[in-house]
Amino acid sequence: MSSNHNHSASDESSKRHRIEGPQKHIVGFVLSLALTIIAFAAVSAGEINQTFTYIILVGMAVIQVFIQMAFWMHMKDRGHLFPIIGILAGVFVVFTMVIMALYWVWW
């Protein structure tokens, strides 16, 4: 009976490793590379408005962060609630500090 239990556990483990194979890392790498190329092309093209270029750069950076967190840091997987809460709390603190600093300087 215990050999049956060990066999099913190894099958479940192999299924998990098959799902988390290198294909997802390759997809994450290709997406990151594409976003980097788009950002580089936006900066290299001199005819684009500077404000629009900044918007493209910030947008690509935000998307890049989500891709990095999902594919490389495995935040999309189960059991990562506390790290996600910590990251969101840190983002909230940083945005609050930036808004307070801007408010303090300009008013």
Side-chain angles (χ1 to χ4, degrees), residues 17-35:
H17 288 292
R18 209 173 323 129
I19 291 172
E20 296 176 0
Q23 294 87 3
K24 290 190 177 188
H25 286 106
I26 292 170
V27 169
F29 178 71
V30 169
L31 287 173
S32 297
L33 194 61
L35 291 171

Side-chain angles (χ1 to χ4, degrees), residues 8 21 25 30 32 34 38-39 44-45 48 52 55 63 70-72 78-79 90 92 101-103:
S8 66
H25 286 106
V30 169
S32 297
I38 292 170
S44 296
I48 298 178
F52 186 66
I55 291 170
I63 295 170
F71 287 101
W72 299 108
R78 290 184 177 183
F92 177 75
L102 291 173
Y103 182 75

